[in-house]
Amino acid sequence: MSEKLGLVNSLQIASNIAVFSGLIVVGFQMSQDRQLSQAQLISDGRISWVEREVSLLGENPTPVVAKSISQPENLSESESLIIHSYLLAAIVHEQRQYDLVANGVYEDLFSNYQLPAYWANRYFGNPFAKKWFESTKSEGYWFGEFERVLVAAIEQAPEDATLNFLDSLK
């Protein structure tokens, strides 16, 4: 009888340990689900921000973008606002990617997020865009680790990179 009682006690202990382990796994899964939900909300907010900025660009922002590269001193106030939205949308899109990596959504694809040199050259390889970035940085638009990533990429972009790219297309 005592052997049976010992076996029953052992089974109860094993059962309790299994239930406790299951609860730990469920708690961990809930924590991961919460993190993914937060990452999704942040991502949705970034998408909304980009969409709002892109809506301000108008039907054909290309001439204004070209003017900011070749004749930035001749930009009107409305053209400056178009370029602001253009550059802001470019950064916020990348910030969304950065946030998804930081929250583990893309951890299998990217282990250490860096902005590609071609991105920095295309958007920030000209004096006006670099000046715009410094202005937004001093106003506190960017912060934390993402700011470090931005600064590293944008500082490495030569001031003539955008023009050189455009010239290579001719």
Side-chain angles (χ1 to χ4, degrees), residues 73-84:
E73 66 282 352
N74 294 329
L75 287 173
S76 69
E77 288 178 0
S78 62
E79 290 171 330
S80 293
L81 289 172
I82 288 171
I83 296 304
H84 172 76

Side-chain angles (χ1 to χ4, degrees), residues 99-116:
D99 288 341
L100 290 172
V101 170
N103 283 291
V105 176
Y106 290 156
E107 65 189 342
D108 293 340
L109 299 174
F110 305 106
S111 59
N112 184 16
Y113 185 82
Q114 293 180 343
L115 288 167

Side-chain angles (χ1 to χ4, degrees), residues 11-27:
L11 289 174
Q12 283 180 335
I13 290 171
S15 173
N16 288 340
I17 289 173
V19 168
F20 183 70
S21 298
L23 289 173
I24 290 173
V25 169
V26 167

Side-chain angles (χ1 to χ4, degrees), residues 85-97:
S85 292
Y86 172 76
L87 295 173
L88 189 63
I91 289 180
V92 172
H93 176 268
E94 291 302 320
Q95 190 174 24
R96 176 181 175 264
Q97 300 298 101

Side-chain angles (χ1 to χ4, degrees), residues 19-85:
V19 168
F20 183 70
S21 298
L23 289 173
I24 290 173
V25 169
V26 167
F28 180 73
Q29 183 64 40
M30 287 174 63
S31 174
Q32 281 187 319
D33 289 346
R34 183 175 176 265
Q35 285 177 317
L36 286 175
S37 294
Q38 286 176 332
Q40 182 64 46
L41 288 172
I42 291 168
S43 179
D44 290 350
R46 301 267 188 241
I47 289 170
S48 174
W49 194 4
V50 167
E51 288 172 349
R52 185 184 72 219
E53 293 302 324
V54 168
S55 73
L56 298 174
L57 296 178
E59 288 184 30
N60 187 14
T62 306
V64 177
V65 173
K67 188 176 181 181
S68 77
I69 295 165
S70 61
Q71 301 170 0
E73 66 282 352
N74 294 329
L75 287 173
S76 69
E77 288 178 0
S78 62
E79 290 171 330
S80 293
L81 289 172
I82 288 171
I83 296 304
H84 172 76
S85 292

